[in-house]
Coordinates of all heavy atoms in Angstrom, one line a residue:
L1 N -19.6 37.5 36.1 CA -18.3 36.9 36.1 C -17.3 37.8 35.5 O -16.2 37.9 35.9 CB -18.3 35.5 35.4 CG -19.0 34.4 36.2 CD1 -19.0 33.2 35.3 CD2 -18.3 34.1 37.5
K2 N -17.7 38.5 34.4 CA -16.8 39.4 33.7 C -16.4 40.5 34.6 O -15.2 40.9 34.6 CB -17.4 39.9 32.4 CG -16.5 40.8 31.6 CD -17.0 41.1 30.3 CE -16.2 42.0 29.4 NZ -15.0 42.6 29.9
K3 N -17.3 41.1 35.4 CA -16.9 42.2 36.3 C -15.9 41.7 37.3 O -15.0 42.4 37.6 CB -18.2 42.7 36.9 CG -19.1 43.6 36.0 CD -20.3 44.1 36.7 CE -21.2 44.8 35.8 NZ -22.4 45.3 36.5
L4 N -16.1 40.5 37.9 CA -15.2 40.0 38.8 C -13.8 39.8 38.2 O -12.8 40.1 38.8 CB -15.7 38.7 39.4 CG -16.9 38.8 40.4 CD1 -17.4 37.4 40.8 CD2 -16.4 39.5 41.7
Y5 N -13.9 39.2 37.0 CA -12.6 38.9 36.3 C -11.9 40.2 36.0 O -10.7 40.3 36.3 CB -12.9 38.1 35.0 CG -11.6 37.9 34.2 CD1 -10.6 37.0 34.6 CD2 -11.4 38.7 33.1 CE1 -9.5 36.9 33.9 CE2 -10.2 38.6 32.3 CZ -9.3 37.6 32.7 OH -8.1 37.5 32.0
D6 N -12.6 41.2 35.5 CA -11.9 42.4 35.1 C -11.3 43.1 36.3 O -10.2 43.7 36.3 CB -12.9 43.4 34.4 CG -13.3 42.9 33.0 OD1 -12.5 42.1 32.4 OD2 -14.3 43.4 32.5
K7 N -12.0 43.0 37.5 CA -11.5 43.6 38.7 C -10.3 42.9 39.4 O -9.4 43.5 39.9 CB -12.6 43.8 39.7 CG -12.2 44.6 40.9 CD -13.4 45.0 41.7 CE -13.0 45.9 42.9 NZ -14.1 46.4 43.7
Y8 N -10.4 41.5 39.3 CA -9.5 40.7 40.1 C -8.6 39.8 39.3 O -7.9 38.9 39.9 CB -10.2 39.9 41.1 CG -11.0 40.7 42.1 CD1 -12.4 40.8 42.1 CD2 -10.3 41.5 43.1 CE1 -13.1 41.6 43.0 CE2 -11.0 42.3 44.0 CZ -12.4 42.3 44.0 OH -13.1 43.1 44.9
K9 N -8.5 39.9 38.0 CA -7.8 39.0 37.2 C -6.3 38.8 37.5 O -5.7 37.8 37.3 CB -7.9 39.3 35.7 CG -7.3 40.6 35.3 CD -7.6 40.9 33.8 CE -7.2 42.3 33.5 NZ -7.8 42.7 32.2
D10 N -5.7 39.9 38.1 CA -4.3 39.8 38.4 C -4.0 39.3 39.8 O -2.9 39.0 40.2 CB -3.6 41.2 38.3 CG -3.7 41.7 36.8 OD1 -3.5 40.8 35.9 OD2 -3.8 42.9 36.6
E11 N -5.1 39.2 40.6 CA -5.0 38.8 42.0 C -5.5 37.3 42.3 O -5.0 36.7 43.3 CB -5.8 39.7 42.9 CG -5.3 41.2 42.8 CD -6.2 42.1 43.6 OE1 -6.5 41.8 44.8 OE2 -6.7 43.1 43.0
Y12 N -6.3 36.8 41.5 CA -7.0 35.6 41.8 C -6.9 34.6 40.6 O -6.8 35.0 39.5 CB -8.5 35.8 42.2 CG -8.6 36.5 43.5 CD1 -8.8 37.9 43.5 CD2 -8.6 35.8 44.7 CE1 -9.0 38.6 44.7 CE2 -8.7 36.5 45.9 CZ -8.9 37.9 45.9 OH -9.1 38.5 47.1
T13 N -7.1 33.3 40.9 CA -7.3 32.3 39.9 C -8.8 31.9 40.0 O -9.4 31.8 41.0 CB -6.5 31.0 40.3 OG1 -5.1 31.4 40.2 CG2 -6.8 29.9 39.3
F14 N -9.4 31.8 38.8 CA -10.8 31.5 38.7 C -11.0 30.1 38.3 O -10.4 29.6 37.3 CB -11.5 32.4 37.7 CG -11.6 33.9 38.1 CD1 -10.4 34.7 37.9 CD2 -12.7 34.4 38.7 CE1 -10.5 36.0 38.3 CE2 -12.7 35.8 39.1 CZ -11.6 36.6 38.8
V15 N -11.8 29.4 39.0 CA -12.2 28.0 38.7 C -13.7 28.0 38.6 O -14.4 28.2 39.6 CB -11.7 27.0 39.8 CG1 -12.1 25.6 39.4 CG2 -10.2 27.1 40.0
I16 N -14.2 27.7 37.4 CA -15.6 27.7 37.1 C -16.0 26.3 36.6 O -15.5 25.8 35.7 CB -16.0 28.8 36.1 CG1 -15.5 30.1 36.5 CG2 -17.5 28.8 35.8 CD1 -15.5 31.2 35.4
V17 N -17.0 25.7 37.3 CA -17.4 24.3 37.0 C -18.9 24.3 36.9 O -19.6 24.9 37.7 CB -16.9 23.3 38.2 CG1 -17.3 21.9 37.8 CG2 -15.4 23.4 38.4
S18 N -19.4 23.5 36.0 CA -20.8 23.4 35.8 C -21.3 22.0 35.9 O -20.5 21.1 36.0 CB -21.2 23.9 34.4 OG -22.5 23.8 34.1
D19 N -22.6 21.8 36.0 CA -23.1 20.4 36.0 C -23.3 20.0 34.5 O -23.7 20.8 33.7 CB -24.5 20.4 36.7 CG -25.1 19.1 36.7 OD1 -24.4 18.1 36.6 OD2 -26.3 19.0 37.0
H20 N -23.1 18.7 34.2 CA -23.3 18.2 32.9 C -24.8 18.1 32.5 O -25.1 18.1 31.3 CB -22.6 16.9 32.6 CG -22.9 15.9 33.6 ND1 -24.1 15.1 33.5 CD2 -22.3 15.4 34.7 CE1 -24.1 14.3 34.5 NE2 -23.0 14.4 35.3
A21 N -25.6 17.9 33.4 CA -27.1 17.9 33.3 C -27.7 16.7 32.5 O -28.9 16.6 32.4 CB -27.6 19.2 32.6
G22 N -26.8 15.8 32.0 CA -27.4 14.7 31.3 C -28.1 15.0 30.1 O -27.9 16.1 29.5
H23 N -28.9 14.1 29.6 CA -29.7 14.4 28.4 C -31.1 13.8 28.7 O -31.3 12.8 29.4 CB -29.1 13.7 27.2 CG -29.2 12.3 27.1 ND1 -28.4 11.4 27.9 CD2 -30.0 11.4 26.4 CE1 -28.8 10.2 27.7 NE2 -29.7 10.1 26.8
K24 N -32.1 14.5 28.2 CA -33.5 14.1 28.4 C -33.8 13.8 29.8 O -34.5 12.8 30.2 CB -33.8 12.9 27.5 CG -33.7 13.1 26.0 CD -34.1 11.9 25.2 CE -33.9 12.3 23.7 NZ -34.3 11.1 22.9
F25 N -33.2 14.6 30.7 CA -33.4 14.5 32.2 C -33.0 13.1 32.7 O -33.5 12.7 33.8 CB -34.9 14.8 32.5 CG -35.4 16.1 32.0 CD1 -36.2 16.2 30.9 CD2 -35.0 17.3 32.6 CE1 -36.6 17.4 30.4 CE2 -35.4 18.5 32.1 CZ -36.2 18.5 31.0
R26 N -32.0 12.5 32.1 CA -31.5 11.2 32.6 C -30.0 11.3 32.7 O -29.3 12.1 32.1 CB -31.8 10.1 31.5 CG -33.3 9.9 31.4 CD -33.6 8.8 30.4 NE -32.8 7.6 30.6 CZ -32.3 6.8 29.7 NH1 -32.5 7.1 28.4 NH2 -31.6 5.7 30.0
Y27 N -29.5 10.5 33.6 CA -28.0 10.4 33.9 C -27.6 9.0 33.8 O -28.4 8.1 33.9 CB -27.7 10.9 35.3 CG -27.9 12.4 35.5 CD1 -29.1 12.9 35.9 CD2 -26.8 13.3 35.4 CE1 -29.3 14.3 36.1 CE2 -27.0 14.6 35.6 CZ -28.2 15.1 35.9 OH -28.4 16.5 36.1
G28 N -26.3 8.8 33.7 CA -25.8 7.4 33.9 C -25.3 6.7 32.6 O -24.8 5.6 32.7
S29 N -25.5 7.2 31.5 CA -25.1 6.5 30.3 C -23.6 6.9 30.0 O -23.1 7.8 30.7 CB -25.9 6.9 29.1 OG -25.7 8.2 28.6
D30 N -23.0 6.4 29.0 CA -21.6 6.7 28.6 C -21.5 7.7 27.5 O -20.5 7.9 26.9 CB -20.9 5.4 28.3 CG -20.6 4.5 29.5 OD1 -20.5 5.1 30.6 OD2 -20.5 3.3 29.3
I31 N -22.6 8.3 27.1 CA -22.6 9.3 26.0 C -22.0 10.6 26.5 O -22.2 10.9 27.7 CB -23.9 9.5 25.3 CG1 -25.0 10.0 26.3 CG2 -24.5 8.1 24.7 CD1 -26.3 10.4 25.6
P32 N -21.4 11.4 25.6 CA -20.7 12.6 26.1 C -21.6 13.6 26.8 O -21.2 14.2 27.8 CB -20.2 13.2 24.8 CG -20.0 12.1 23.9 CD -21.1 11.1 24.2
E33 N -22.9 13.7 26.4 CA -23.8 14.6 27.1 C -24.0 14.2 28.6 O -24.4 15.1 29.4 CB -25.2 14.6 26.4 CG -25.1 15.2 25.1 CD -24.7 14.3 23.9 OE1 -24.4 13.1 24.2 OE2 -24.7 14.7 22.8
D34 N -23.8 13.0 29.0 CA -23.9 12.5 30.3 C -22.6 12.6 31.1 O -22.7 12.6 32.4 CB -24.5 11.1 30.4 CG -26.0 11.0 30.2 OD1 -26.6 12.0 30.1 OD2 -26.5 9.9 30.2
I35 N -21.5 12.6 30.5 CA -20.3 12.6 31.2 C -19.3 13.8 31.1 O -18.3 13.9 31.8 CB -19.5 11.3 30.9 CG1 -19.1 11.2 29.4 CG2 -20.3 10.0 31.3 CD1 -18.3 10.0 29.0
T36 N -19.7 14.7 30.2 CA -18.8 15.9 30.0 C -19.2 17.0 30.9 O -20.4 17.4 31.0 CB -18.9 16.3 28.5 OG1 -18.5 15.3 27.7 CG2 -18.0 17.6 28.3
V37 N -18.3 17.5 31.7 CA -18.5 18.6 32.7 C -17.7 19.8 32.2 O -16.5 19.7 32.2 CB -18.2 18.2 34.1 CG1 -18.3 19.3 35.0 CG2 -19.0 17.0 34.5
P38 N -18.4 20.9 31.9 CA -17.6 22.1 31.5 C -16.9 22.7 32.7 O -17.4 22.8 33.7 CB -18.7 23.1 31.0 CG -19.9 22.3 30.8 CD -19.8 21.1 31.7
M39 N -15.6 22.9 32.5 CA -14.8 23.5 33.5 C -13.9 24.6 32.9 O -13.3 24.3 31.8 CB -13.9 22.4 34.2 CG -14.6 21.4 35.0 SD -13.5 20.3 35.8 CE -13.3 19.0 34.6
F40 N -13.7 25.7 33.6 CA -12.8 26.7 33.1 C -11.9 27.1 34.2 O -12.3 27.3 35.4 CB -13.6 28.0 32.7 CG -14.6 27.7 31.6 CD1 -15.9 27.3 31.8 CD2 -14.2 27.9 30.3 CE1 -16.8 27.0 30.8 CE2 -15.1 27.6 29.2 CZ -16.3 27.2 29.5
F41 N -10.6 27.1 33.9 CA -9.5 27.5 34.9 C -8.8 28.7 34.3 O -8.3 28.7 33.2 CB -8.5 26.4 35.0 CG -9.1 25.1 35.6 CD1 -9.7 24.1 34.8 CD2 -9.1 24.9 37.0 CE1 -10.2 23.0 35.3 CE2 -9.7 23.7 37.5 CZ -10.2 22.8 36.6
I42 N -8.9 29.8 35.0 CA -8.4 31.1 34.4 C -7.4 31.7 35.5 O -7.8 31.9 36.6 CB -9.5 32.1 34.1 CG1 -10.6 31.5 33.2 CG2 -9.0 33.4 33.6 CD1 -11.9 32.2 33.1
G43 N -6.2 31.9 35.1 CA -5.3 32.6 36.0 C -3.8 32.3 35.5 O -3.6 31.6 34.5
S44 N -2.9 32.7 36.3 CA -1.5 32.6 36.0 C -1.0 31.2 35.9 O 0.0 30.9 35.2 CB -0.6 33.4 37.0 OG -0.7 32.9 38.3
H45 N -1.7 30.2 36.5 CA -1.2 28.8 36.5 C -1.6 28.1 35.1 O -1.2 27.0 34.9 CB -1.9 28.1 37.6 CG -1.5 28.5 39.0 ND1 -2.1 29.5 39.7 CD2 -0.4 28.2 39.7 CE1 -1.5 29.7 40.8 NE2 -0.5 28.9 40.9
F46 N -2.4 28.8 34.3 CA -3.0 28.1 33.2 C -2.7 28.9 31.9 O -2.8 30.1 31.9 CB -4.5 28.0 33.4 CG -4.9 27.2 34.6 CD1 -5.2 27.9 35.8 CD2 -4.8 25.9 34.7 CE1 -5.5 27.3 36.9 CE2 -5.1 25.2 35.8 CZ -5.5 25.9 37.0
E47 N -2.4 28.2 30.9 CA -2.2 28.8 29.5 C -3.5 29.2 28.9 O -4.4 28.4 28.8 CB -1.5 27.7 28.7 CG -1.1 28.3 27.3 CD -0.4 27.2 26.5 OE1 0.3 26.3 27.0 OE2 -0.5 27.3 25.2
K48 N -3.6 30.4 28.5 CA -4.8 31.0 27.9 C -5.2 30.2 26.6 O -4.3 30.0 25.8 CB -4.6 32.4 27.6 CG -5.9 33.1 27.1 CD -5.7 34.6 26.9 CE -7.0 35.2 26.4 NZ -6.9 36.6 26.2
G49 N -6.4 29.7 26.6 CA -6.9 29.1 25.4 C -6.6 27.6 25.2 O -7.0 27.0 24.3
K50 N -5.8 27.1 26.2 CA -5.4 25.7 26.1 C -6.5 24.8 26.6 O -7.1 25.0 27.7 CB -4.2 25.4 26.9 CG -3.7 24.0 26.8 CD -2.4 23.8 27.5 CE -1.9 22.3 27.4 NZ -0.7 22.1 28.1
E51 N -6.9 23.8 25.8 CA -7.9 22.8 26.3 C -7.2 21.6 27.0 O -6.2 21.1 26.5 CB -8.7 22.3 25.1 CG -9.9 21.4 25.4 CD -10.8 21.1 24.3 OE1 -11.0 22.0 23.4 OE2 -11.2 19.9 24.2
I52 N -7.7 21.3 28.1 CA -7.1 20.3 29.0 C -8.1 19.1 29.2 O -9.3 19.4 29.5 CB -6.7 20.8 30.3 CG1 -5.6 22.0 30.1 CG2 -6.1 19.7 31.2 CD1 -5.3 22.7 31.4
D53 N -7.7 17.9 29.0 CA -8.6 16.8 29.3 C -8.4 16.4 30.7 O -7.3 16.0 31.1 CB -8.2 15.6 28.3 CG -9.1 14.5 28.4 OD1 -10.3 14.7 28.8 OD2 -8.7 13.3 28.2
C54 N -9.4 16.6 31.5 CA -9.3 16.3 32.9 C -10.6 15.7 33.4 O -11.6 15.7 32.7 CB -8.8 17.5 33.7 SG -10.0 18.9 33.7
S55 N -10.6 15.3 34.7 CA -11.8 14.7 35.3 C -12.2 15.7 36.5 O -11.5 16.4 37.0 CB -11.4 13.4 35.9 OG -12.3 12.9 36.8
I56 N -13.5 15.5 36.9 CA -14.0 16.2 38.1 C -13.2 15.9 39.3 O -13.1 16.6 40.3 CB -15.5 16.1 38.3 CG1 -15.9 14.7 38.5 CG2 -16.3 16.7 37.2 CD1 -17.3 14.5 39.0
L57 N -12.6 14.7 39.3 CA -11.7 14.2 40.4 C -10.5 15.1 40.5 O -9.8 15.1 41.6 CB -11.3 12.8 40.2 CG -12.5 11.8 40.2 CD1 -11.9 10.4 39.9 CD2 -13.2 11.8 41.6
D58 N -10.1 15.8 39.4 CA -8.9 16.6 39.4 C -9.1 18.0 40.0 O -8.1 18.8 40.2 CB -8.4 16.7 38.0 CG -8.0 15.4 37.4 OD1 -7.6 14.5 38.2 OD2 -8.1 15.2 36.2
I59 N -10.4 18.4 40.2 CA -10.6 19.8 40.7 C -10.0 20.1 42.1 O -9.3 21.0 42.2 CB -12.1 20.1 40.7 CG1 -12.7 20.0 39.3 CG2 -12.4 21.5 41.3 CD1 -14.2 20.0 39.2
A60 N -10.3 19.2 43.0 CA -9.8 19.5 44.4 C -8.3 19.5 44.5 O -7.7 20.4 45.1 CB -10.4 18.5 45.4
P61 N -7.6 18.5 43.9 CA -6.1 18.6 43.9 C -5.6 19.8 43.2 O -4.5 20.3 43.6 CB -5.7 17.3 43.2 CG -6.8 16.4 43.3 CD -8.0 17.2 43.3
T62 N -6.2 20.2 42.1 CA -5.8 21.4 41.4 C -5.9 22.7 42.3 O -5.0 23.5 42.4 CB -6.5 21.6 40.1 OG1 -6.3 20.4 39.3 CG2 -6.1 22.8 39.3
V63 N -7.1 22.8 42.9 CA -7.3 24.0 43.8 C -6.4 23.9 45.0 O -5.8 25.0 45.4 CB -8.8 24.0 44.2 CG1 -9.0 25.1 45.3 CG2 -9.7 24.3 43.0
A64 N -6.1 22.8 45.5 CA -5.2 22.6 46.6 C -3.8 23.1 46.2 O -3.2 23.9 47.0 CB -5.2 21.2 47.1
K65 N -3.4 22.7 45.1 CA -2.0 23.1 44.6 C -2.0 24.6 44.4 O -1.0 25.3 44.7 CB -1.7 22.4 43.3 CG -0.2 22.7 42.9 CD 0.3 21.7 41.9 CE 1.7 21.9 41.6 NZ 2.4 20.9 40.9
I66 N -3.0 25.2 43.8 CA -3.0 26.7 43.6 C -2.9 27.4 45.0 O -2.2 28.4 45.1 CB -4.3 27.1 42.9 CG1 -4.3 26.6 41.4 CG2 -4.5 28.6 43.0 CD1 -5.7 26.7 40.8
M67 N -3.5 26.8 46.0 CA -3.5 27.4 47.3 C -2.3 27.1 48.1 O -2.1 27.5 49.2 CB -4.8 27.0 48.1 CG -6.1 27.6 47.4 SD -7.6 27.1 48.2 CE -7.4 28.1 49.7
G68 N -1.4 26.2 47.6 CA -0.2 25.8 48.3 C -0.3 24.7 49.3 O 0.5 24.5 50.1
F69 N -1.4 23.9 49.1 CA -1.6 22.8 50.0 C -1.3 21.5 49.3 O -1.4 21.4 48.1 CB -3.1 22.7 50.5 CG -3.5 23.9 51.3 CD1 -4.5 24.8 50.8 CD2 -3.0 24.2 52.5 CE1 -4.9 25.9 51.5 CE2 -3.4 25.3 53.3 CZ -4.3 26.2 52.8
S70 N -1.0 20.5 50.1 CA -0.8 19.1 49.5 C -2.2 18.4 49.4 O -3.0 18.6 50.3 CB 0.1 18.3 50.4 OG 1.4 18.9 50.4
P71 N -2.4 17.7 48.4 CA -3.7 16.9 48.3 C -3.8 15.9 49.4 O -2.8 15.4 49.9 CB -3.7 16.3 46.9 CG -2.3 16.3 46.5 CD -1.6 17.4 47.2
V72 N -5.0 15.5 49.7 CA -5.3 14.4 50.7 C -5.0 13.1 50.0 O -5.3 12.9 48.8 CB -6.7 14.5 51.2 CG1 -7.1 13.4 52.1 CG2 -7.0 15.8 51.8
N73 N -4.3 12.2 50.7 CA -4.0 10.9 50.1 C -5.1 10.1 49.5 O -5.0 9.4 48.5 CB -3.2 10.0 51.1 CG -1.9 10.6 51.4 OD1 -1.2 11.2 50.6 ND2 -1.4 10.2 52.6
E74 N -6.3 10.3 50.1 CA -7.5 9.5 49.6 C -8.1 10.0 48.3 O -8.9 9.4 47.7 CB -8.6 9.5 50.7 CG -8.2 8.7 51.9 CD -7.3 9.4 53.0 OE1 -7.1 10.6 52.8 OE2 -6.9 8.7 53.9
W75 N -7.7 11.2 47.9 CA -8.2 11.8 46.7 C -7.7 11.0 45.5 O -6.6 10.6 45.4 CB -7.8 13.2 46.5 CG -8.4 14.2 47.5 CD1 -9.4 13.9 48.4 CD2 -8.1 15.6 47.7 NE1 -9.7 15.1 49.1 CE2 -8.9 16.1 48.7 CE3 -7.1 16.4 47.1 CZ2 -8.8 17.4 49.2 CZ3 -7.0 17.7 47.6 CH2 -7.8 18.2 48.6
E76 N -8.7 10.7 44.6 CA -8.3 9.9 43.4 C -7.8 10.7 42.3 O -7.0 10.2 41.4 CB -9.5 9.1 43.0 CG -10.0 8.1 43.9 CD -11.2 7.3 43.4 OE1 -11.4 7.2 42.2 OE2 -12.0 6.9 44.3
G77 N -8.1 12.0 42.2 CA -7.6 12.8 41.1 C -6.2 13.3 41.3 O -5.6 13.1 42.3
S78 N -5.8 14.1 40.3 CA -4.5 14.7 40.5 C -4.5 16.1 39.9 O -5.3 16.4 39.0 CB -3.4 13.9 39.8 OG -3.7 13.7 38.4
S79 N -3.6 17.0 40.3 CA -3.6 18.4 39.9 C -3.3 18.4 38.4 O -2.5 17.7 37.9 CB -2.5 19.2 40.6 OG -2.4 20.5 40.1
I80 N -3.9 19.3 37.7 CA -3.7 19.5 36.2 C -2.6 20.5 36.0 O -2.3 20.8 34.8 CB -4.9 19.9 35.5 CG1 -5.5 21.2 36.0 CG2 -6.0 18.8 35.6 CD1 -6.7 21.7 35.1
I81 N -2.0 21.1 37.1 CA -0.8 22.0 36.9 C 0.4 21.4 37.5 O 0.4 20.5 38.3 CB -1.1 23.4 37.5 CG1 -1.6 23.3 39.0 CG2 -2.1 24.1 36.7 CD1 -1.7 24.7 39.6

């Protein structure tokens, strides 16, 4: 990722999302380990080092906005930019 970033940081926005993986191989509880999904947004649309509270539902509308598209009406999330 660092090589890609170093080469294309001025041309692209990077959106990196991971799986939360649950805890003890289980999913579905309300504890942070089961519901927190690490996400990183890197590019000119985002303030460096700023932590944003968002949902996985916000990923598609955010990417759509970065690309200049309008979100689909049925999407539940909203752009974080």
Side-chain angles (χ1 to χ4, degrees):
L1 288 174
K2 183 173 179 356
K3 287 180 184 180
L4 286 172
Y5 174 75
D6 288 343
K7 186 170 183 175
Y8 297 110
K9 65 183 170 192
D10 296 326
E11 299 174 51
Y12 293 97
T13 298
F14 294 81
V15 178
I16 303 165
V17 181
S18 179
D19 180 20
H20 55 78
H23 72 286
K24 297 183 183 180
F25 305 104
R26 296 180 50 217
Y27 291 86
S29 75
D30 289 334
I31 63 172
E33 291 85 357
D34 280 356
I35 60 175
T36 301
V37 177
M39 294 185 270
F40 299 89
F41 298 88
I42 305 164
S44 62
H45 295 92
F46 304 97
E47 184 180 332
K48 185 177 180 178
K50 182 178 181 182
E51 187 172 320
I52 300 169
D53 187 26
C54 63
S55 163
I56 60 171
L57 298 174
D58 300 329
I59 297 170
T62 301
V63 171
K65 186 163 187 170
I66 290 168
M67 296 179 69
F69 299 114
S70 298
V72 176
N73 289 335
E74 290 82 7
W75 292 349
E76 295 180 28
S78 59
S79 175
I80 61 172
I81 53 174

